[in-house]
């Protein structure tokens, strides 16, 4: 699994808050939908999920708009990302976009993926 998140302690007032979080059922539905998108994407390939994409597949399925291109360029330069980290970032961004049922990777998907990797690499 490429997504790993360090979780902070939750304060009591947040635990006792009346607002409802996204339900497990809703999350499951989004995950199943994302998996279906990936099944269709890779119907003619050997891989089943985004994490298994080759660099050629990343180039095909992880095209970025101008704002995302600018953000990833800045991240590569400032964070000194390796080629492996660059491709992993794009794969995670593609998965986040799939979870939102977005056909394109948007700058917010890329920013979220960057947020996840900063703590671990």
């Amino acid at each position: 699994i490429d997504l790993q998140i360090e979780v902070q302690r939750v304060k009591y007032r947040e635990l006792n808050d009346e607002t409802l979080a996204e339900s497990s059922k809703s999350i499951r539905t989004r995950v199943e939908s994302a998996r279906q998108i990936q099944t269709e994407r890779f119907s003619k390939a050997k891989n089943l999920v985004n994490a298994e994409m080759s660099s050629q597949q990343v180039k095909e399925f992880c095209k970025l708009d101008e704002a995302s291109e600018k953000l990833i360029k800045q991240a590569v330069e400032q964070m000194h990302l390796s080629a492996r980290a660059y491709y992993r970032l794009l794969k995670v961004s593609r998965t986040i976009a799939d979870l939102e049922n977005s056909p394109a990777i948007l700058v917010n998907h890329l920013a979220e993926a960057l947020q996840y990797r900063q703590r671990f690499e």
Side-chain angles (χ1 to χ4, degrees):
I1 298 176
D2 278 341
L3 296 177
Q4 299 178 23
I5 304 171
E6 186 176 316
V7 179
Q8 301 291 327
R9 286 185 178 212
V10 180
K11 295 180 177 148
Y12 175 76
R13 67 180 163 85
E14 293 172 358
L15 289 171
N16 200 29
D17 191 0
E18 295 292 325
T19 57
L20 297 175
E22 185 177 12
S23 71
S24 294
K25 184 178 180 180
S26 173
I27 294 169
R28 180 182 179 141
T29 300
R30 284 193 309 120
V31 170
E32 288 172 346
S33 176
R35 291 298 298 252
Q36 183 60 38
I37 289 168
Q38 291 174 39
T39 297
E40 291 171 14
R41 177 178 299 132
F42 302 119
S43 64
K44 296 177 181 162
K46 292 180 182 178
N47 47 319
L48 301 174
V49 294
N50 293 337
E52 299 172 343
M53 278 192 277
S54 67
S55 57
Q56 187 58 41
Q57 287 173 318
V58 169
K59 290 175 184 175
E60 180 180 350
F61 298 119
C62 299
K63 296 188 186 316
L64 301 176
D65 63 9
E66 190 175 325
S68 299
E69 197 68 53
K70 183 177 177 181
L71 177 60
I72 201 165
K73 180 180 183 221
Q74 185 178 17
V76 167
E77 291 173 356
Q78 289 181 355
M79 299 169 75
H80 309 288
L81 299 180
S82 66
R84 181 183 178 278
Y86 169 81
Y87 283 107
R88 183 175 180 199
L89 182 62
L90 287 172
K91 292 175 189 182
V92 172
S93 298
R94 178 71 265 164
T95 299
I96 293 167
D98 290 346
L99 286 167
E100 290 188 6
N101 200 23
S102 174
I105 295 173
L106 304 176
V107 72
N108 60 303
H109 303 138
L110 187 58
E112 184 176 341
L114 274 166
Q115 176 187 357
Y116 294 145
R117 80 157 305 281
Q118 288 178 345
R119 292 174 178 79
F120 297 103
E121 292 184 45

